[in-house]
Amino acid sequence: MGTTKYEAAVPAALELAGVAPAHCAISAVSFQGLTVTTADGRPAKLAVIDADGNVLDAGRDVENAAFKVAVEAYRNFLMGSGHLRVLAKPPGSGMPQI
């Protein structure tokens, strides 16, 4: 008597309809975090830009922080813990709570 091996069909990527930026792609892998690429596939950086167009911060640290905040917010939602806001800010920055 043999065993039968079943393989689940797993999509290579899940596309989110209606939320894609116009000139880049943003992807996430649970063990790698966020990755940003241009429309033609070249590496890009995630940045925080103020209302005047100044780049306040950019790069891997921003990508890691954005990913961790999103994951923590989702975990809080799943646990029903009532924490609807998750904040990441520089230590000792004195920045106000949002």
Side-chain angles (χ1 to χ4, degrees):
M1 188 175 249
T3 60
T4 304
K5 183 177 179 181
Y6 292 96
E7 292 186 21
V10 177
L14 173 65
E15 292 191 23
L16 302 175
V19 296
H23 304 287
C24 65
I26 302 172
S27 63
V29 178
S30 62
F31 57 88
Q32 292 176 328
L34 294 177
T35 301
V36 183
T37 58
T38 61
D40 61 0
R42 292 177 293 135
K45 296 179 183 178
L46 195 60
V48 176
I49 303 172
D50 70 11
D52 297 323
N54 301 309
V55 176
L56 303 178
D57 212 341
R60 198 69 197 153
D61 289 342
V62 173
E63 293 165 7
N64 288 337
F67 184 74
K68 288 177 182 179
V69 166
V71 168
E72 191 62 29
Y74 183 61
R75 284 181 180 153
N76 289 342
F77 169 75
L78 291 176
M79 291 186 300
S81 63
H83 300 287
L84 300 179
R85 186 177 309 263
V86 176
L87 178 64
K89 63 181 181 178
S93 68
M95 295 175 69
Q97 297 288 339
I98 299 173

